[in-house]
Amino acid sequence: MNSNYKNIIENAYNKAKSLKDKGQLATYIPELANVDPSMFGVHMTKVDGSNFGIGNYLIKFSIQSIAKVLSLTMAYSILGEKLWKRIDVEPSGTKFDSLLLLETYNGIPRNPFVNSGAIVICDVLVSHLDNAKEEFLEFVRDLSGLPELTYSDKIADSEKAYGYRNSALCNFIKSFGNIKNEPAEVLDFYFDMCSLEMNCQQLSYTFTFLANGGRKLVDGKKIISKSKCKRINALMLTCGFYDESGEFAFKVGLPGKSGVGGGIVALYPNNYTIAVWSPLLNPKGNSYKGMKLLEDVTTYSELSIF
Ligand code: GLN
């Protein structure tokens, strides 16, 4: 990787590392409260294959809501544009687990990245696959070229035991007829999907297809069409950070997605993907230091989509 990028990432990393972290761990999933809050890593992969990481970029973490982009990719490739009859493509302006707008919009979630939308995506996958848990994992292993990727049963079980809000969301949507399967089955898959683990290097590799027009970097295999790739990136830009999506676009200027495990992945089409992990979250549920680091990377590289 050219030394310019390395310097920018190194400087952004050192600057963010020295900040006093005002964030909090996502304790509502008890197992996530056991994560070492001082972990901090970043990894960039360029579409020319060069890559660079610093800090704890080889330590696995729970990618949580970042996995929603991958389940959307799978459901979108199965159902095509019909998917948007069940989920809208508008920013919600609400927290990731909010029930508020479901009443207003008759059980149609605002977008696929708030929990309600991701739960409907899981329902679609449960309807179309024989074994959604296994087939989704195979799909992710294939698109990333990383056969070693796995779920964390510990994290999934921990969330299943306390997933009251997600149960409420799923049952509420079911009452409008927008969940076709049994809520227990859909939620089980939703929690497994969120428990996917990756390190920053694996996460940045996994997302390269979205920086590469929908094709795998290594062999050019088509995962999704260019048009679907464009739309998924547009959704990440407008909805990837819940009620902080505007702030992320304003300060970082890239499509991206966060998770309550403290990970963020962002990408610059035809150029690079970058994954950062720092587990302490701001009040909107996004990694505090991760946001700061990415802001510096696009400011100093002068490479954002705007
Ligand atoms: N599994 C988490 C939940 O449903 C995902 C939320 C997130 O990462 N923002 O609450």
Side-chain angles (χ1 to χ4, degrees), residues 28-29 63-66 68 96-97 113 115 159 166 190-191 194 242 257-261 285:
Y28 79 98
I29 301 175
I63 70 166
Q64 290 294 320
S65 283
I66 299 173
K68 293 171 180 171
F96 59 87
D97 56 359
F113 297 149
N115 288 11
E159 192 170 7
N166 287 316
Y190 172 77
F191 294 130
C194 289
Y242 320 111
K257 185 75 202 80
S258 63
V260 289

Side-chain angles (χ1 to χ4, degrees), residues 123-224:
D123 185 59
V124 168
L125 292 177
V126 167
S127 293
H128 283 83
L129 304 172
D130 292 333
N131 184 330
K133 181 178 178 183
E134 270 176 32
E135 289 174 56
F136 173 64
L137 185 59
E138 275 319 308
F139 176 77
V140 176
R141 285 174 172 168
D142 177 60
L143 75 78
S144 60
L146 299 168
E148 67 273 26
L149 296 179
T150 54
Y151 299 117
S152 160
D153 291 341
K154 225 172 163 185
I155 299 273
D157 290 347
S158 174
E159 192 170 7
K160 283 175 195 179
Y162 293 89
Y164 304 115
R165 271 194 93 83
N166 287 316
S167 299
L169 285 167
C170 191
N171 282 288
F172 197 38
I173 303 168
K174 176 95 181 164
S175 77
F176 290 99
N178 197 19
I179 292 284
K180 311 295 177 193
N181 299 282
E182 274 311 307
E185 191 185 357
V186 176
L187 286 164
D188 227 45
F189 173 51
Y190 172 77
F191 294 130
D192 288 329
M193 185 265 294
C194 289
S195 79
L196 205 59
E197 291 189 314
M198 293 189 198
N199 61 38
C200 290
Q201 186 178 60
Q202 293 169 327
L203 187 56
S204 74
Y205 282 169
T206 300
F207 273 70
T208 47
F209 76 100
L210 289 173
N212 194 37
R215 289 179 183 272
K216 264 171 95 163
L217 214 52
V218 275
D219 56 10
K221 181 182 158 194
K222 185 163 141 190
I223 306 295
I224 39 162

